[in-house]
Amino acid sequence: MGGKGPTGTQPRPQRRTLTLAMNTLEQVEKLLTAQKEQWPQAAANYAALANVEVKELPLPGMNFKVQFNPARIASTGAKVDVAAIKARKCFLCAANRPEVQKGIDWNDRYTILVNPFPIFPRHLTIPDKEHTLQLIKGRMTHMMQLAAELPGYTVFYNGPRCGASAPDHMHFQAGNSDFLTIWDAAEAAVLTPLGTASSGQSALSASYDTPLHFFVIDAANPADGEELFDRLYNAMPVPEGEQEPMMNVLCHAQAGRIRAVVIPRKRHRPSFYGDGDGCMLVSPASVDLGGVLITPRKADFDRLDRSTLENILAELCLDKDEAASIANRITSH
């Protein structure tokens, strides 16, 4: 690859993008292999994934899975109130990470790390190099570029009160796309068009016939994706006390395009969250709403059924009218 094209012109941009994607992916695969060899804790947690219990909870329009994963207790049970965050060192800052944890520099702004407490067979955490708040405004270009450079992975973002265990430090995560069921649900859903990017090559739409209502961005390139995401972002309500709309975002590359699913939220955790009697330690984030609910306690894994799942989605996600209200604000401008 490289060199002059057949007519003496430079190669097309998509060929240069492909080269970049292959290089990033190869570096990530080498990092995963090396970290499992060098980091006993990470190696043990990845090996343990082979023995996690999984059950299915199909709902009309989307199949969900439930995973019993004890290693995720630190994330699911994380205290993310202001006092708790001030009282601990940020585990995503380079100075506080374990010495054995190595990373890949990406875009001069982020570091790609292996997540030592995996949900996916290949699980990455991608923090900003600076200690800055978990806010996605202006970063959709980065997210989509990451997805383009990591074919086979889903890059995802948890809002500061939507599953992020480090709301004080901006980061993405990524894991293999075939693990999640939301992509099949989005592919089968009847999508309502809401508009196109100024280029005419990318589109924004909404899904109303799935168990949770979400918006879909199909982008020809990251710049178009940012334009459409801004349109959606500006139409979403910002709850009192929050700095941005509550949301989870998942993104992956497919068939030469980049697809993002944006799931608006209205609540951080279900009303029955906790470890007391009658409570469940379930704190849904992008992975959970992407089709795989994580339960670190066996009792919660056993109790979580279709009715409980429907209650979780009803409490945390928008109903059809609330989603349609956002859509109306988009189409009326």
Side-chain angles (χ1 to χ4, degrees):
M1 302 184 70
K4 296 289 185 178
T7 60
T9 59
Q10 292 294 330
R12 293 179 180 178
Q14 54 263 39
R15 294 198 63 183
R16 293 198 294 274
T17 300
L18 179 60
T19 302
L20 186 58
M22 289 175 63
N23 287 341
T24 304
L25 186 62
E26 287 170 359
Q27 289 182 62
V28 164
E29 296 303 309
K30 289 178 180 177
L31 178 67
L32 277 161
T33 299
Q35 289 283 264
K36 291 177 187 178
E37 293 173 350
Q38 301 161 359
W39 195 353
Q41 182 187 33
N45 287 337
Y46 277 93
L49 288 178
N51 300 314
V52 298
E53 290 187 60
V54 178
K55 65 181 181 182
E56 295 195 6
L57 296 177
L59 295 181
M62 185 171 172
N63 185 47
F64 284 82
K65 299 177 183 179
V66 184
Q67 181 190 95
F68 169 46
N69 188 337
R72 295 295 298 179
I73 187 70
S75 179
T76 303
K79 294 182 178 180
V80 293
D81 58 278
V82 174
I85 290 171
K86 286 184 176 179
R88 58 100 169 121
K89 292 182 178 180
C90 177
F91 54 85
L92 293 180
C93 284
N96 302 325
R97 297 198 295 259
E99 187 176 344
V100 70
Q101 188 172 29
K102 309 302 180 184
I104 298 167
D105 181 75
W106 186 81
N107 198 32
D108 293 327
R109 188 164 181 178
Y110 300 85
T111 304
I112 300 176
L113 305 169
V114 171
N115 191 317
F117 303 105
I119 297 170
F120 303 82
R122 301 191 302 275
H123 193 161
L124 310 173
T125 301
I126 305 127
D128 193 299
K129 292 181 179 181
E130 301 295 328
H131 185 77
T132 184
L133 291 177
Q134 178 82 342
L135 298 171
I136 196 172
K137 180 71 171 178
R139 294 180 185 263
M140 181 55 71
T141 300
H142 306 160
M143 190 176 191
M144 287 197 159
Q145 186 62 39
L146 263 171
E149 295 186 24
L150 292 173
Y153 281 80
T154 290
V155 179
F156 56 96
Y157 168 82
N158 295 322
R161 281 176 41 82
C162 298
S165 55
D168 54 330
H169 193 131
M170 175 62 207
H171 65 286
F172 298 112
Q173 294 184 66
N176 37 302
S177 291
D178 57 5
F179 185 85
L180 299 167
T181 64
I182 195 165
W183 298 121
D184 287 340
E187 194 67 30
V190 176
L191 299 179
T192 301
L194 300 178
T196 59
S198 55
S199 69
Q201 298 179 335
S202 304
L204 173 64
S205 55
S207 172
Y208 301 122
D209 64 350
T210 38
L212 67 166
H213 306 301
F214 53 77
F215 295 86
V216 177
I217 297 171
D218 284 308
N221 55 70
D224 276 9
E226 185 88 58
E227 177 188 340
L228 292 172
F229 178 74
D230 282 350
R231 204 176 298 174
L232 172 60
Y233 184 102
N234 292 332
M236 293 168 62
V238 180
E240 185 177 353
E242 301 295 327
Q243 296 189 51
E244 72 173 11
M246 295 179 70
M247 73 184 89
N248 296 102
V249 186
L250 303 98
C251 182
H252 78 159
Q254 59 171 38
R257 298 175 70 81
I258 309 165
R259 167 165 278 193
V261 167
V262 180
I263 306 169
R265 297 273 293 265
K266 59 185 177 185
R267 188 182 179 120
H268 180 198
R269 287 165 167 165
S271 58
F272 46 86
Y273 172 85
D275 54 10
D277 292 342
C279 295
M280 298 180 73
L281 207 57
V282 179
S283 184
S286 292
V287 173
D288 307 78
L289 299 184
V292 184
L293 284 91
I294 307 303
T295 54
R297 301 190 309 188
K298 184 63 163 61
D300 296 336
F301 174 81
D302 292 337
R303 288 173 52 205
L304 211 161
D305 55 16
R306 283 186 56 170
S307 176
T308 306
L309 171 57
E310 289 171 341
N311 287 340
I312 290 172
L313 298 179
E315 286 195 13
L316 269 55
C317 302
L318 305 190
D319 61 30
K320 186 173 182 178
D321 288 343
E322 290 166 330
S325 177
I326 293 174
N328 289 338
R329 284 195 287 272
I330 294 170
T331 56
S332 65
H333 285 83

